[in-house]
Amino acid sequence: MSYSDCLSDLLCGEESSDIFSGESPGCSTGLESHDFVEESSIASFIEDERNFVPGFDYLSRFQSQSLDASAREESVAWILKVQAYHGFQPLTAYLSVNYLDRFFYSRRLPQTDGWPWQLLSVACLSLAAKMEEPLVPSLLDLQVEGAKYIFEPRTIRRMELLVLSVLDWRLRSITPFSFTGFFACKLDPTGAYIGFLISRATEIILSNIKEASFLEYWPSSIAAAAILCAANDIPNLPLFNPEHAESWCDGLSKDKIISCYRLMQDLVLDNSRRKSTKVLLPQLRVTIRARMRSSGSDSSSSSSTSSYKRRKLNNCFWVHDDKGNSE
């Protein structure tokens, strides 16, 4: 077979007129950056997604503490840090965690001081980066952002082969990002807010990926719930009943979508409260320090009372001081 024959086999069979017709297959929104696919393709994703998730009892193993949920959470947190450090796509981070969960469901890691989790995390991230990123850092450059152990490249490559073997080389996983564009079209047929819906849903999905509770849900339910949560941030968008989300495509589960949506809402609200608390604490410390300085400038007749107040303020609030000063 000639070189030209080999090359021709790699080319797509579409006519050029079909490729450049300008028609969007799933939703005519004018957003060329997102691949909106046909409903039949989405239905096939829903049918096949069960093949790319851990077994149904994976979550119960964490709940019964037969598996270490804190170790998984720590590994996922590290993957997200490296994803942000190198500017990887959100899909790369999600695939990394997907590989990690599917591997860990089938194989137990040695109960040691944590290095097996680190090695597995590096291997899964490396494989996901090779699948999705145009430029992949070296194996040594992947081991950043507080990596507790540094492994030689040959050790990581051996772990990659083990992961590939356990996953049966099925790395092109179906993820929530396979559905978000299509579901955004369904929620907003006008296309006015689709870009925001997809972007916000992506943030919500990644921010909750550490939570073991979401292992109960398949990618389609997570995507639908994330789009519904994202819609809550758009005041001008008409209200949509989450119970009707199952009508977006055949095969969706209303109960799973509603359950995932409620869990996601609770975590989104909780994260918002934590962010607001982090903003308020520095303001509180500044106010306290200002009052202390003011109290120090009072007349000498009230110096003993002021000193007592300063000690009380220190004892109550200085535990949050950035410099860690305390009496």
Side-chain angles (χ1 to χ4, degrees), residues 126-143:
S126 174
L127 289 171
K130 291 172 184 176
M131 290 292 294
E132 299 299 329
E133 300 299 327
L135 296 175
V136 181
S138 70
L139 292 175
L140 288 176
D141 289 337
L142 275 181
Q143 302 178 76

Side-chain angles (χ1 to χ4, degrees), residues 74-82 118 121-122 142 144-145 147:
E74 185 177 340
S75 294
V76 175
W78 178 82
I79 288 173
L80 292 175
K81 288 180 182 178
V82 179
Q118 181 73 54
S121 302
V122 175
L142 275 181
V144 293
E145 289 297 297

Side-chain angles (χ1 to χ4, degrees), residues 7 21 27 30 101 149 182 208 212 242 257 260 264 271 283 296 321:
L7 182 60
S21 63
C27 179
D101 283 327
Y149 306 92
F182 181 82
N208 293 323
I257 292 174
C260 185
M264 203 170 280
N271 290 336
Q283 297 176 350
D321 193 280

Side-chain angles (χ1 to χ4, degrees), residues 288-315 327:
I288 293 171
R289 288 169 179 167
R291 289 176 179 173
M292 289 173 59
R293 286 195 295 269
S294 174
S295 118
S297 62
D298 287 345
S299 62
S300 58
S301 61
S302 60
S303 60
S304 59
T305 304
S306 301
S307 177
Y308 172 75
K309 289 181 179 179
R310 283 198 295 272
R311 285 195 296 271
K312 289 291 290 182
L313 286 169
N314 285 343
N315 290 337
E327 288 192 347

